Amino acid sequence: MAINFPKVEEEVLQRWKEIDAFQRQLQLSEHRPRFTFYDGPPFATGLPHYGHLLASTIKDVIPRYWSMKGSYVVRRFGWDTHGLPIEHEIDKKLGTSGKDAVLKFGIERYNAECRAIVMRFAGEWRQTIDRLGRWVDFDNDYKTMDLDFMESVWWVFKQLYDKDQVYRSYQVMPYSTALCTPLSNFEAQQNYKDAQDPAIVVAFPLVETDEQGKDGDTSLLIWTTTPWTLPSNLAIVAHPDFEYIKILDEAANQKYILLESRLSMLYKDPKKANFQVLSKIRGKDMLGWKYKPLFNYFVDQFPDCFRVINADFVTSDDGVGLVHMAPAFGPEDFTAAMESGMISSDRLPPNPLDEKACFTEEVPDYAGQHVKIADKAIVKYLRGTGRLIVDSHVTRSVGFCWRSDTPLIRKAVSAWFVKVSDTIPAMLSNIEESNWVPSFVKEKRFANWISNAKDWNVSRNRYWGTPIPIWTSDDYKETICVGSIAELRELSGFEGEISDLHRDRIDKITIPSRTGKGVLRRIDEVFDCWFESGSMPYASQHYPFKNTELFQQSSFPADFIAEGLDQTRGWFYTLVVLGTKLFGISPFRNCVVNGIILAESGKKMSKRLKNYPDPWKVMDLYGADALRLYLINSPVVRAEPLRFKEAGLREVVSKVLLPLWHSYKFFEEQVVLLRKTRGVDFVFDPAVSLSQSRNVMDRWIMANCQSLLKFVNQEMAAYRLYTVVPRLLDLIDDLTNWYIRFNRSRLKGAGGSDSDDTLCALNTLFEVLFILVRGLAPFIPFLTDRIYSLLAPYLPADFKGQFEDTRSVHFLAFPEVRKELFDQEIERSVGRMRRVIELTRIARERRAIGLKVPLETLVLIADAPYLEDLRSLETYICEELNIRRLLMTSDESKYNIRLSVVADWSRLGKKLKKDSDKVRKALPNLTNQQIKQLVHEKAITVEGISLDYEDLAVVRGPSKDNDQSGKWETNSDNEVLILLDTDLRPELKHEGVARDLISRVQRLRKKAGLVPTDAVRMEYRVLQNPNDIDIGGIMKAQQAMIEKALPSGLQEQKEKPAEDHPKVQDNVILEEEQVIQEATLLLRLLSL
């Protein structure tokens, strides 16, 4: 019966629940050294997607491995429950926007709405993560809205405040107009999209110039994509070193100043445009020139402005080389205006926008209009004044709010910052000490991000979050930072209950001023939710209020974290900032970074487009093991993108899970056969392999297992999952396609195998399966646990005694490397045998001769040590390749072997260029000796031109003069040449027919669901035989081989029985017509 993997997984899940497997595993390991894992908290306001399942798989594989390696691995799930993602949902639900609307609704009611949805999909998350097979503690989880967590966040901030790492500043910041709050610089980098914006060129007439023009005769040109910033213009910036030109536009009869290289912004084809260059001016010579403002809203407040200043940030890559400056809406503008004295802390720049980015009454013509709406009205006004020179649009990459998915603007706001720039060297040094997989993420992406990091805006003008614990006087001259609930009570004298630290609970608490300023009130802002997630190592344990000793001894830094590539500018970054600030170290030692999962088309997965299969349906159809293995054996664990394809899941099932299961079923069948035929009950004997089996394949597979385990331990210690999984899967292939395939007779006890040899083979097969289920347990936890439960009864009682609990493979230790079983010579010998078999299979395929057709001779030509490695494996080679005679020699002259060289001309041609023809003509004339020298020295000189070995391929084969019949098919690699005699003799053809017939009968038995111990009658009857093949004679001649493969025999049925004969009707198990070499036979299985 075919196995249903999803159904098996459901049964295993139920079993885990019955024995409380995860908690039991923690109990079994709690006395062991601690392995610390930090789980980055997701939001529960949406359902888990493939990105979450990928991260969860990695977060399960590595803790499972280290748990089996002897560590105590606590795995607590965490939830991000504050911040913009939650508030945006409530804003949409309530239809509110802006501070006034929230205050009118009431912060207490607003926060209650937020609290009600934060865990909306927690049940679905738990169900999905459980179904994936991830073991993580949901019952002892942490939430960023918990009192203990929030208090520790206060402590973290106070540490920074006391170290003079916190300041308040009026700065230009990325600003979400939908959420009415500034964002941090790294948040603003998370969601860039192409968007269409206005792209206009505007004229600013000069008020006074030198002798080059009269009042109003010449205009400075600027280009902008944000017309809404023009009412706040204070200056025009020129690069001091650029040379500008003054032109006369003949069509408009106007004089303009701009960069000559940017004339294309004014004219479609400057070469055909009608203009004259009147003069050239250096940017530094324009310093101080005055111009007429576009608008008069701020002329009285800033009478000394509206002039040209110099700055180096002006580029010649876009625009016209002159930049309009509105200091409140651009960080470079703000800095330049401060340096030129146009603005100061006492005279802030024009900033006529409310929190929703709508114009205030300071700009009465556009009051109440959102900036993006006002763009059109402003352009229309400019057109009417004649100041609009070019009116177009441009599509460009624009930053969008990562939560509301609306375009961001830049806006000057008062905010609270954590200093980062002064910590950059320490952060770079700290990450250098940590291990990142893949390493390029640390060395390039993350290091570059840190190197250019700006101070971190940690404040948000919002409501549902951890309040920033700063109490201040109205003039901000007296401030106090509070680091705990106890400190707040002490400073405020508040005697009521403090069981919640949200705004609606603590904003009413005041602190008496120490300087006679009345009372201090808490500032309005709450923390950026990234500050909370970056505080997770401390806050999740309520440090330093609890768990101080545990934290200091074994909980910090973490041994391992894992998240997606996008977190280099998110969680990874905030962890490193705070870890460095607080303790001077990176808060994690190892970091695994995964890439993004895309739809099969290569596009982003989209619920709206429905371009990806539902994860639950995928697990119901293929199983969670298949999904896990598909994800972690893909480029996505190397931080590369993965196009999700269901075909990949089907391949995992067919090439990994089914072969592993069939390997176990084969073992089970042979154990039953052993009991039935010899009365022996198999019990695993761990000591058998120590005595070194006489069989080379037993020794090879055990040596191979040790090499694999050594490699797995080495690579898992380096967290390189992408190298580990392929090697584990190779062992499944080695077991099924090499060990079992080559030892079927021994395992079945057939072909004269004695009982001891059969037991030895079964013991080896069991041990490899036992190693595999433990080695693969962290990766495919369901199937390995099911197979283990079936293997466990064969474990002797004294062997089980070494484990405290044997009810699950996940309670056992990871298999240990047994050094005494290493055998490099055996591994090398079998590796060479496999290579010979692969080369010969290819040779057969070239002549379209299947493996069931015997061939007379295979010749191997190689050096003596290579051939010596194959001596003990001759029988395997002959049986696998169906060869009568195997000849091995090092004498190439005996077969008149000719060496030749071919070149990779697509590569070599580019290197040689004009010398290619000369080399092409010379290569066929190289002698055997010259080519041998090439192989030995890895280089050769041809016609005076030096060639590398990598550019050439050496081909060996018999001389055409020596193979007149064309019977030899050759194949080779750098070590061995094979010559295959492909002459099909009649007796070999007959044996091929018998082998084909045996194979068809065995497939029919399998199709009927029979096992080797099922005794049935097997018959064949010839229906059609157009070529008069002597089927009967072949069966008689090959009787010994047939009886060896089919102990019950294969009987010929010469007469067709009556179909209504009751005996025939009752006894037929399965029958099928088969065509063998154009003869049609009816194969039939009947019960005895």
Side-chain angles (χ1 to χ4, degrees):
M1 182 182 294
I3 185 172
N4 182 329
F5 290 118
K7 183 179 179 182
V8 166
E9 291 177 359
E10 294 286 356
E11 292 168 357
V12 172
L13 274 173
Q14 183 58 38
R15 170 70 172 157
W16 287 350
K17 290 177 183 177
E18 290 170 1
I19 64 174
D20 200 6
F22 175 41
Q23 291 303 320
R24 177 58 177 155
Q25 191 275 325
L26 290 174
Q27 292 170 9
L28 291 168
S29 59
E30 61 185 351
H31 61 282
R32 300 173 186 168
R34 195 180 186 97
F35 177 94
T36 301
F37 158 63
Y38 293 159
D39 191 11
F43 290 98
T45 49
L47 293 171
H49 52 65
Y50 283 107
H52 295 122
L53 300 186
L54 166 63
S56 277
T57 299
I58 296 170
K59 293 174 185 180
D60 190 52
V61 168
I62 290 174
R64 280 183 184 272
Y65 170 80
W66 286 107
S67 180
M68 294 182 75
K69 288 295 289 182
S71 295
Y72 176 54
V73 189
V74 175
R75 284 152 274 181
R76 292 176 63 202
F77 205 81
W79 299 103
D80 228 335
T81 55
H82 280 154
L84 303 180
I86 314 296
E87 294 195 48
H88 184 55
E89 293 293 318
I90 297 305
D91 286 348
K92 289 191 295 183
K93 174 184 175 182
L94 301 178
T96 58
S97 179
K99 181 177 181 180
D100 292 342
V102 174
L103 293 179
K104 183 178 179 181
F105 185 75
I107 294 178
E108 184 174 3
R109 290 177 63 198
Y110 185 85
N111 279 356
E113 291 282 347
C114 292
R115 188 187 296 273
I117 72 161
V118 291
M119 303 301 287
R120 180 168 56 192
F121 294 112
E124 287 83 349
W125 269 85
R126 182 166 189 165
Q127 191 178 12
T128 303
I129 298 302
D130 283 350
R131 180 63 187 87
L132 185 68
R134 180 183 175 189
W135 281 1
V136 64
D137 194 343
F138 280 98
D139 297 323
N140 187 32
D141 58 6
Y142 72 85
K143 303 179 186 69
T144 58
M145 68 180 183
D146 290 342
L147 178 67
D148 287 354
F149 193 100
M150 296 171 71
E151 185 177 25
S152 288
V153 172
W154 276 18
W155 173 85
V156 169
F157 187 71
K158 181 166 174 62
Q159 303 310 299
L160 303 180
Y161 185 90
D162 289 347
K163 293 178 180 181
D164 194 28
Q165 295 296 300
V166 176
Y167 65 94
R168 182 174 183 263
S169 179
Y170 186 76
Q171 292 187 19
V172 177
M173 297 296 299
Y175 190 89
S176 171
T177 64
L179 300 176
C180 306
T181 187
L183 304 178
S184 61
N185 284 300
F186 65 82
E187 285 178 296
Q189 298 287 331
Q190 291 185 347
N191 187 19
Y192 267 78
K193 295 183 179 183
D194 286 342
Q196 192 177 72
D197 279 325
I200 62 174
V201 177
V202 181
F204 286 76
L206 290 167
V207 172
E208 54 185 38
T209 66
D210 56 15
E211 67 277 2
Q212 297 181 62
K214 297 178 181 178
D215 182 16
D217 187 42
T218 302
S219 293
L220 301 170
L221 296 185
I222 67 94
W223 175 81
T224 183
T225 58
T226 54
W228 61 268
T229 62
L230 290 170
S232 304
N233 170 266
L234 290 187
I236 290 176
V237 190
H239 194 292
D241 300 329
F242 285 177
E243 185 174 68
Y244 296 86
I245 60 171
K246 178 179 179 181
I247 66 168
L248 171 64
D249 182 278
E250 295 177 352
N253 194 29
Q254 293 288 327
K255 296 172 184 175
Y256 303 130
I257 293 176
L258 73 163
L259 276 180
E260 186 171 12
S261 62
R262 303 304 302 165
L263 282 166
S264 58
M265 297 298 293
L266 209 56
Y267 306 112
K268 191 172 184 179
D269 186 352
K271 293 181 179 179
K272 296 180 181 179
N274 295 319
F275 68 91
Q276 298 178 36
V277 177
L278 302 178
S279 61
K280 297 185 178 182
I281 316 107
R282 285 279 176 187
K284 61 184 178 182
D285 297 327
M286 296 162 59
L287 181 65
W289 286 8
K290 293 194 172 184
Y291 59 86
K292 294 179 181 178
L294 289 177
F295 301 92
N296 294 319
Y297 304 126
F298 302 104
V299 170
D300 293 339
Q301 292 175 248
F302 297 89
D304 55 334
C305 298
F306 309 105
R307 53 187 166 89
V308 176
I309 65 172
N310 288 160
D312 292 339
F313 69 78
V314 179
T315 72
S316 59
D317 297 333
D318 56 14
V320 294
L322 293 167
V323 175
H324 124 75
M325 191 175 77
F329 306 116
E332 292 171 321
D333 299 22
F334 189 91
T335 300
M338 288 287 284
E339 291 174 351
S340 66
M342 289 185 171
I343 62 173
S344 67
S345 57
D346 295 322
R347 185 172 73 160
L348 298 177
N351 191 351
L353 302 182
D354 65 14
E355 60 180 4
K356 302 177 189 176
C358 295
F359 278 106
T360 64
E361 291 299 330
E362 292 178 280
V363 180
D365 297 309
Y366 309 108
Q369 293 187 32
H370 187 274
V371 290
K372 288 299 181 181
I373 302 298
D375 270 346
K376 295 179 182 179
I378 291 170
V379 170
K380 182 178 179 181
Y381 165 78
L382 295 175
R383 188 181 296 111
T385 63
R387 305 279 283 271
L388 184 66
I389 309 304
V390 174
D391 183 10
S392 64
H393 287 81
V394 64
T395 298
R396 62 194 183 112
S397 184
V398 175
F400 276 64
C401 175
W402 66 281
R403 196 64 245 175
S404 65
D405 208 30
T406 53
L408 298 173
I409 64 170
R410 294 296 190 273
K411 182 177 183 288
V413 293
S414 291
W416 292 86
F417 294 84
V418 169
K419 296 176 183 177
V420 173
S421 53
D422 62 348
T423 319
I424 287 174
M427 288 195 294
L428 290 172
S429 175
N430 286 339
I431 66 166
E432 191 60 34
E433 298 299 317
S434 59
N435 172 50
W436 288 57
V437 180
S439 59
F440 75 82
V441 177
K442 175 182 77 172
E443 295 162 359
K444 296 180 180 178
R445 185 183 178 104
F446 195 55
N448 290 342
W449 175 252
I450 288 178
S451 297
N452 297 288
K454 303 291 190 296
D455 287 354
W456 179 8
N457 170 17
V458 297
S459 60
R460 297 292 177 269
N461 300 339
R462 298 302 303 181
Y463 314 94
W464 177 245
T466 300
I468 295 180
I470 289 179
W471 272 255
T472 182
S473 58
D474 293 341
D475 59 5
Y476 282 89
K477 295 292 178 63
E478 182 181 356
T479 60
I480 292 177
C481 183
V482 176
S484 68
I485 295 173
E487 186 178 5
L488 178 58
R489 287 187 182 279
E490 180 183 345
L491 292 171
S492 66
F494 183 77
E495 296 180 355
E497 182 184 14
I498 302 179
S499 57
D500 189 339
L501 291 181
H502 287 95
R503 284 194 61 179
D504 51 289
R505 302 298 180 184
I506 68 160
D507 279 4
K508 62 187 177 184
I509 299 175
T510 60
I511 295 175
S513 169
R514 295 173 180 173
T515 60
K517 294 182 179 291
V519 295
L520 309 184
R521 289 181 171 81
R522 201 197 66 80
I523 60 175
D524 287 343
E525 292 91 339
V526 299
F527 279 114
D528 167 16
C529 61
W530 289 104
F531 188 87
E532 295 178 314
S533 58
S535 301
M536 169 265 160
Y538 330 103
S540 63
Q541 302 181 63
H542 198 202
Y543 179 82
F545 308 101
K546 294 178 183 175
N547 305 309
T548 305
E549 185 177 347
L550 175 64
F551 177 85
Q552 294 172 348
Q553 290 181 356
S554 59
S555 293
F556 183 86
D559 293 290
F560 158 69
I561 65 170
E563 289 295 341
L565 188 61
D566 56 327
Q567 295 304 321
T568 52
R569 295 177 178 180
W571 192 49
F572 298 154
Y573 173 69
T574 61
L575 283 173
V576 170
V577 171
L578 295 181
T580 302
K581 290 283 186 185
L582 295 175
F583 296 100
I585 60 174
S586 168
F588 51 86
R589 297 187 179 96
N590 298 281
C591 178
V592 176
V593 186
N594 63 263
I596 188 171
I597 301 180
L598 304 171
E600 186 170 356
S601 64
K603 295 181 178 179
K604 187 177 180 180
M605 287 187 169
S606 165
K607 291 181 182 178
R608 179 178 58 84
L609 296 176
K610 297 181 180 178
N611 60 354
Y612 63 92
D614 178 79
W616 264 97
K617 291 182 179 177
V618 162
M619 288 190 283
D620 285 344
L621 187 59
Y622 304 103
D625 277 342
L627 178 59
R628 290 167 63 111
L629 206 54
Y630 172 63
L631 293 176
I632 56 176
N633 192 34
S634 74
V636 80
V637 294
R638 299 193 299 270
E640 298 173 14
L642 167 68
R643 293 189 178 191
F644 189 92
K645 300 177 181 178
E646 283 194 72
L649 291 162
R650 290 192 289 271
E651 186 174 351
V652 169
V653 171
S654 64
K655 293 187 176 181
V656 180
L657 302 185
L658 278 172
L660 178 60
W661 175 250
H662 289 155
S663 296
Y664 163 73
K665 291 300 290 181
F666 178 81
F667 164 79
E668 181 185 68
E669 289 169 0
Q670 306 326 308
V671 168
V672 173
L673 184 64
L674 182 69
R675 184 185 304 117
K676 182 174 182 179
T677 58
R678 301 189 184 182
V680 176
D681 287 321
F682 174 80
V683 177
F684 172 59
D685 184 354
V688 167
S689 56
L690 292 174
S691 63
Q692 294 294 299
S693 163
R694 297 188 304 272
N695 184 274
V696 67
M697 291 302 286
D698 286 353
R699 290 158 57 198
W700 164 72
I701 194 70
M702 290 308 301
N704 196 13
C705 284
Q706 309 320 306
S707 296
L708 167 74
L709 292 174
K710 179 182 177 182
F711 177 83
V712 168
N713 288 335
Q714 168 189 309
E715 293 300 287
M716 286 299 286
Y719 294 82
R720 289 188 286 263
L721 293 178
Y722 55 86
T723 62
V724 170
V725 177
R727 281 290 295 269
L728 283 166
L729 302 189
D730 284 345
L731 182 57
I732 297 176
D733 180 69
D734 291 342
L735 178 64
T736 56
N737 293 326
W738 295 95
Y739 181 76
I740 292 177
R741 182 184 177 94
F742 281 39
N743 286 275
R744 280 185 177 273
S745 295
R746 290 179 64 226
L747 291 161
K748 288 175 177 288
S753 298
D754 59 45
S755 182
D756 288 345
D757 190 44
T758 298
L759 281 171
C760 186
L762 284 172
N763 207 75
T764 301
L765 175 55
F766 179 93
E767 186 159 6
V768 176
L769 286 170
F770 191 42
I771 289 171
L772 262 175
V773 294
R774 287 177 291 160
L776 283 167
F779 303 89
I780 48 173
F782 294 105
L783 182 59
T784 52
D785 213 13
R786 168 52 61 88
I787 294 177
Y788 165 74
S789 70
L790 298 169
L791 292 174
Y794 302 106
L795 290 170
D798 57 343
F799 184 83
K800 289 182 180 180
Q802 65 182 297
F803 304 110
E804 190 175 342
D805 193 330
T806 59
R807 289 178 296 171
S808 170
V809 72
H810 305 291
F811 299 164
L812 308 185
F814 200 79
E816 293 291 334
V817 176
R818 297 170 61 186
K819 294 181 180 179
E820 74 274 12
L821 297 182
F822 275 115
D823 195 328
Q824 292 183 349
E825 291 183 7
I826 288 287
E827 290 192 76
R828 185 186 66 237
S829 296
V830 174
R832 287 174 167 175
M833 176 193 74
R834 291 171 64 164
R835 185 61 182 147
V836 166
I837 290 171
E838 288 163 357
L839 290 170
T840 309
R841 284 174 178 169
I842 293 170
R844 276 181 170 271
E845 288 170 5
R846 289 176 185 162
R847 295 292 182 104
I849 302 174
L851 276 173
K852 291 183 176 59
V853 178
L855 294 176
E856 184 64 29
T857 305
L858 174 66
V859 180
L860 306 181
I861 302 175
D863 59 29
Y866 190 103
L867 297 177
E868 189 59 34
D869 276 350
L870 298 177
R871 297 290 180 197
S872 62
L873 299 165
E874 287 187 47
T875 302
Y876 286 119
I877 294 172
C878 291
E879 287 182 357
E880 175 61 21
L881 294 173
N882 204 0
I883 300 296
R884 286 281 172 275
R885 191 168 55 131
L886 179 65
L887 301 178
M888 294 190 277
T889 180
S890 299
D891 186 2
E892 293 186 348
S893 62
K894 185 176 180 180
Y895 292 90
N896 196 17
I897 298 303
R898 174 81 174 89
L899 301 183
S900 60
V901 173
V902 295
D904 180 358
W905 288 109
S906 63
R907 175 178 169 177
L908 192 57
K910 294 176 182 177
K911 289 174 64 175
L912 300 181
K913 297 180 181 178
K914 62 181 181 181
D915 292 327
S916 294
D917 288 341
K918 189 190 301 185
V919 173
R920 194 187 300 268
K921 292 176 182 177
L923 287 182
N925 299 321
L926 293 177
T927 65
N928 275 15
Q929 188 59 38
Q930 287 174 308
I931 297 173
K932 288 179 180 179
Q933 187 177 354
L934 162 66
V935 173
H936 182 260
E937 298 180 359
K938 305 301 180 186
I940 192 172
T941 300
V942 178
E943 294 294 323
I945 300 164
S946 180
L947 302 177
D948 295 328
Y949 186 69
E950 290 74 18
D951 297 324
L952 304 169
V954 176
V955 178
R956 296 192 289 175
S959 167
K960 292 182 180 179
D961 297 335
N962 198 47
D963 186 23
Q964 299 293 337
S965 66
K967 73 175 185 177
W968 294 108
E969 181 65 35
T970 67
N971 205 354
S972 67
D973 61 14
N974 291 332
E975 293 187 298
V976 64
L977 166 68
I978 66 117
L979 303 178
L980 181 64
D981 181 356
T982 59
D983 191 16
L984 296 176
R985 298 170 176 80
E987 67 274 15
L988 298 180
K989 287 184 179 180
H990 292 165
E991 184 179 331
V993 170
R995 285 180 178 274
D996 202 358
L997 186 56
I998 290 169
S999 176
R1000 306 294 179 94
V1001 172
Q1002 288 173 331
R1003 285 205 294 267
L1004 191 64
R1005 285 181 61 99
K1006 188 174 182 179
K1007 189 174 181 180
L1010 300 176
V1011 297
T1013 53
D1014 290 332
V1016 297
R1017 177 180 173 83
M1018 294 173 281
E1019 298 179 347
Y1020 76 91
R1021 181 160 56 85
V1022 180
L1023 301 181
Q1024 294 180 5
N1025 193 0
N1027 296 335
D1028 292 326
I1029 299 173
D1030 185 7
I1031 303 291
I1034 292 172
M1035 296 296 290
K1036 186 174 181 180
Q1038 303 297 329
Q1039 184 176 353
M1041 181 180 68
I1042 293 170
E1043 289 181 353
K1044 180 180 176 182
L1046 305 172
S1048 300
L1050 181 60
Q1051 310 299 321
E1052 181 180 11
Q1053 182 192 55
K1054 295 184 178 179
E1055 300 295 330
K1056 180 180 179 181
E1059 292 299 331
D1060 58 354
H1061 192 289
K1063 191 171 182 179
V1064 173
Q1065 293 290 345
D1066 293 342
N1067 290 0
V1068 173
I1069 299 171
L1070 187 64
E1071 62 181 15
E1072 214 170 61
E1073 289 187 10
Q1074 298 279 350
V1075 178
I1076 300 175
Q1077 293 192 11
E1078 299 186 20
T1080 303
L1081 285 74
L1082 178 69
L1083 302 181
R1084 173 177 278 176
L1085 304 177
L1086 301 101
S1087 57
L1088 296 176

